[in-house]
Amino acid sequence: MTDQRQITPGSLSRIQQNYLASGERKLLNWLCARLPDWVTPDMLTSLGLFGAAMTFVGYVASNFGSAWLLLAIAGYGVQWFGDSLDGSIARFRHIERPSYGYFIDHSCDGLTTLLILAGMGLSPFVTMDVAMIALAGYLLLSIHAYLSARVLGELKLSYLAAGPTELRFVLIGLTIMMMLLGSENGLFGSVSGFDLFVGGVGGVLMILFVLQTLSTGRRLAKMDVRPDRPAPFIADGPR
């Protein structure tokens, strides 16, 4: 039998070591103190999804003109506002619902990423297969984060000193470059520089997944060893 510690969403240790974390936290606290009482966490979660839908529409509509990419950029801002403030306002007002919030928030994160990357794949700038590589990398790293939350009680929110906010800035910068450079074939022929960038990000996420899995696996192996018996070889889960 492995150690069956009871780890709940409310007991998770949030690990956030990205560059903008400190300044962003101050801004979020400032906003929380000024939001009217009728603004609820669920409303903010819905607003975040609406922002992701704006980004999706902006990328798809860019087939008719690059000016539509402004809608995608605005969507990133709306999505940040809703996604960053829903949990923050709940903690600020002491109205947390840890299990519900954890489930809904991370479910919406997955849907948000699908909307953004599918929108890119339907735009004239990034091919769908490359966008799906990036989506696969994101989902793999998300799986690692959720598994670590279950077995270690740690929810890792940043990697390589970057988190969701830094990633949004990168994607906004990428979208601005789309507006400036257009969708014509460039130095790489039929494979655009945007394909290489988005695919490269997906590759980095997959490598991070492998490295983090190895690191966490070694850590868990040491935690599970007991002095009265050798470490079990079977790795098909707790029994």
Side-chain angles (χ1 to χ4, degrees), residues 13-235:
S13 174
R14 295 163 63 90
I15 301 175
Q16 192 166 12
Q17 300 170 325
N18 49 305
Y19 287 117
L20 299 176
S22 177
E24 184 180 23
R25 176 46 50 197
K26 293 177 182 177
L27 174 59
L28 292 174
N29 288 338
W30 184 87
L31 290 169
C32 285
R34 288 159 177 79
L35 283 176
D37 292 339
W38 55 265
V39 176
T40 66
D42 284 346
M43 290 175 60
L44 290 166
T45 299
S46 299
L47 181 65
L49 277 177
F50 179 74
M54 288 172 59
T55 299
F56 173 82
V57 172
Y59 281 131
V60 175
S62 67
N63 286 282
F64 306 104
S66 60
W68 281 100
L69 292 174
L70 291 172
L71 178 63
I73 292 173
Y76 283 120
V78 173
Q79 197 275 328
W80 170 84
F81 188 89
D83 182 58
S84 299
L85 277 169
D86 55 1
S88 296
I89 196 67
R91 289 185 289 272
F92 183 83
R93 294 176 179 172
H94 304 292
I95 56 172
E96 302 99 316
R97 290 177 289 176
S99 297
Y100 171 82
Y102 181 88
F103 176 77
I104 294 298
D105 186 56
H106 293 299
S107 296
C108 290
D109 285 346
L111 182 56
T112 290
T113 307
L114 173 61
L115 285 170
I116 290 172
L117 288 170
M120 281 191 184
L122 293 170
S123 78
F125 303 95
V126 179
T127 58
M128 182 60 79
D129 51 351
V130 170
M132 291 301 100
I133 289 174
L135 178 63
Y138 170 85
L139 292 178
L140 281 173
L141 206 55
S142 296
I143 289 170
H144 174 268
Y146 305 149
L147 288 174
S148 294
R150 171 63 181 85
V151 298
L152 294 174
E154 298 174 354
L155 181 60
K156 193 171 179 62
L157 300 173
S158 60
Y159 296 88
L160 300 179
T165 300
E166 285 83 0
L167 182 58
R168 289 186 189 97
F169 276 115
V170 170
L171 294 174
I172 288 172
L174 178 68
T175 307
I176 291 173
M177 294 304 296
M178 290 175 179
M179 295 180 67
L180 295 176
L181 299 179
S183 59
E184 298 298 325
N185 289 340
L187 297 175
F188 307 102
S190 59
V191 178
S192 72
F194 301 119
D195 283 326
L196 292 177
F197 181 85
V198 173
V201 170
V204 169
L205 295 177
M206 291 179 183
I207 292 171
L208 278 174
F209 167 76
V210 172
L211 295 177
Q212 290 292 323
T213 297
L214 293 174
S215 175
T216 303
R218 287 193 294 266
R219 183 177 171 186
L220 289 169
K222 293 178 181 178
M223 291 171 58
D224 280 349
V225 172
R226 296 180 181 178
D228 58 334
R229 63 177 175 83
F233 180 76
I234 299 175

